[in-house]
Amino acid sequence: MKKQDYYNEQRTKLTARLREVLYDFPDFALDFFTGIENKTSALTRINYAYDLRTFFNWALTETNLFRDKKSMFELEVKDLEKFHSTHFERYMSYLTSYEKKDGEIVTNGERGKARKIAAVRSFFKYYFRREMISVDLASKIEMPKLHDKPIIRFEDDEVYKFLGTVESGYGLSGHEKGFHKHTKIRDTAIMTLLLGTGLRVSECVGLNVEDIDFKINGMKITRKGGNQVILYFSDEVKVALFYWIEERAKNPQLVNEPALFVSLQNKRITTRAVQKLVKKYATIVAPLKHITPHKLRSTYGTRLYQATQDIYIVADVLGHRDVNTTKKHYAAMSDKIRREASNAVSLRAE
């Protein structure tokens, strides 16, 4: 089995999931998903489908527009022209908090609303540009104002403590320590790799043993979109990977398993499993911070920028298509600077 098989498998699963979600959609709506296929990932299309399903379910149950329709499947493309600006304003308000059919209460902040409205706008724009509807009032929806989220990452001392915790298991419960003795070398390799290269968690779990080349301290990874690149790592990362690959080679059940990182069931580790590992160790070190694999990526990006002061290097290493994304997330003020600033002003003269 070659590496690309893993990514093909993931795409196949997502495509099957999308088809399942689209089963109840009207026929004309399927054209939209076909039209955006070459410009979006399968996961993006799935999210669009969920968001559009929410919109049409709202229109069928919360408005008087389609009293003659029993289900979303009965909608026709000309029905899109029945929506007016006030309907979109009501929908925006509805998204704040609503109840799903199964009784679950869903709430959306500004970013959740913006994502769901963006799906609706793209949907209407598609049919307007193809002259299948005569007006596109969805384009006039005012998007929610997005406030900058606080940038959460590890500080230097927290990185040191985090890796020390992963290696030692200090702070874990007795039950967790039972697993830790079997996984500490693997876990140390994963966390060192994430913190030392800024890999996305999907890129990390997609690695195969054959993708690692210790002669050049490099690895072949598959970026978002499917592009393959060579990414280099430090000697510190090399040591952690080397110890894990040596440990991995002792397991005869992994002879035919190409994945670099595997679970205790001897299968390729999942992104969800890595997320849980990060949370488990990070909660011990920084309980007030919500640390995820992406926050480890942010930690690396920030440290790389601080070391190089070159935002273009950071963007290239992290695989960002738009350098403005890099500037926004990695050239911001760090907690270290904030802490130093907190003692800059004296309230009582000595």
Side-chain angles (χ1 to χ4, degrees), residues 288-321:
L288 298 182
K289 292 183 175 181
H290 178 56
I291 299 296
T292 64
H294 194 75
K295 299 301 186 294
L296 300 188
R297 177 173 162 84
S298 296
T299 299
Y300 173 78
T302 301
R303 299 180 82 187
L304 181 61
Y305 176 72
Q306 291 171 345
T308 64
Q309 295 297 304
D310 191 327
I311 204 68
Y312 292 96
I313 290 178
V314 179
D316 182 68
V317 172
L318 294 179
H320 286 166
R321 295 178 180 178

Side-chain angles (χ1 to χ4, degrees), residues 47-62:
N47 288 329
Y48 269 31
Y50 285 138
D51 293 341
L52 289 169
R53 184 172 65 182
T54 298
F55 173 72
F56 285 116
N57 283 338
W58 164 81
L60 287 164
T61 59
E62 303 292 329

Side-chain angles (χ1 to χ4, degrees), residues 54-55 57-58 61-62 89-100 106 108 113:
T54 298
F55 173 72
N57 283 338
W58 164 81
T61 59
E62 303 292 329
E89 291 172 358
R90 292 178 200 168
Y91 180 59
M92 182 86 77
S93 176
Y94 169 82
L95 288 175
T96 301
S97 179
Y98 61 91
E99 184 176 348
K100 296 172 67 175
V106 178
N108 288 284
K113 287 184 178 181

Side-chain angles (χ1 to χ4, degrees), residues 213-231:
D213 187 347
F214 289 125
K215 294 179 181 178
I216 62 170
N217 276 21
M219 56 186 169
K220 182 172 64 177
I221 63 170
T222 301
R223 293 289 199 192
K224 287 172 65 175
N227 294 329
Q228 290 190 333
V229 299
I230 303 297
L231 199 64

Side-chain angles (χ1 to χ4, degrees), residues 70-247:
K70 294 181 179 180
S71 69
M72 184 171 59
F73 186 78
E74 297 180 22
L75 294 174
E76 301 176 16
V77 67
K78 64 181 182 181
D79 288 327
L80 299 182
E81 295 185 344
K82 295 181 179 180
F83 291 95
H84 296 289
S85 298
T86 53
H87 293 121
F88 296 118
E89 291 172 358
R90 292 178 200 168
Y91 180 59
M92 182 86 77
S93 176
Y94 169 82
L95 288 175
T96 301
S97 179
Y98 61 91
E99 184 176 348
K100 296 172 67 175
K101 292 181 179 179
D102 60 4
E104 179 187 356
I105 302 298
V106 178
T107 59
N108 288 284
E110 55 193 24
R111 280 177 167 75
K113 287 184 178 181
R115 194 195 78 179
K116 288 178 170 60
I117 293 299
V120 173
R121 289 177 60 167
S122 295
F123 190 75
F124 277 73
K125 181 180 179 181
Y126 175 86
Y127 295 100
F128 178 69
R129 291 182 65 177
R130 282 156 183 77
E131 300 181 346
M132 299 173 73
I133 57 175
S134 60
V135 63
D136 177 17
L137 293 179
S139 64
K140 301 183 183 299
I141 307 174
E142 289 191 18
M143 298 293 282
K145 183 178 180 181
L146 300 181
H147 297 83
D148 289 338
K149 294 191 298 184
I151 299 175
I152 300 173
R153 60 177 73 90
F154 274 147
E155 296 303 315
D156 290 352
D157 62 324
E158 292 171 330
V159 171
Y160 178 81
K161 292 176 182 177
F162 177 75
L163 291 176
T165 298
V166 177
E167 291 176 344
S168 67
Y170 177 79
L172 296 176
S173 68
H175 179 70
E176 290 173 331
K177 285 182 178 179
F179 287 104
H180 179 260
K181 65 182 181 181
H182 298 292
T183 66
K184 63 180 180 179
I185 298 177
R186 181 204 66 184
D187 294 354
T188 299
I190 291 175
M191 302 309 161
T192 304
L193 181 64
L194 293 174
L195 279 168
T197 63
L199 279 186
R200 296 180 177 91
V201 64
S202 59
E203 296 166 347
C204 176
V205 302
L207 283 169
N208 285 348
V209 176
E210 66 180 19
D211 296 324
I212 308 299
D213 187 347
F214 289 125
K215 294 179 181 178
I216 62 170
N217 276 21
M219 56 186 169
K220 182 172 64 177
I221 63 170
T222 301
R223 293 289 199 192
K224 287 172 65 175
N227 294 329
Q228 290 190 333
V229 299
I230 303 297
L231 199 64
Y232 299 95
F233 47 79
S234 67
D235 287 338
E236 189 173 10
V237 173
K238 176 181 181 178
V239 170
L241 288 176
F242 182 81
Y243 281 146
W244 163 241
I245 290 176
E246 272 198 331
E247 180 71 15

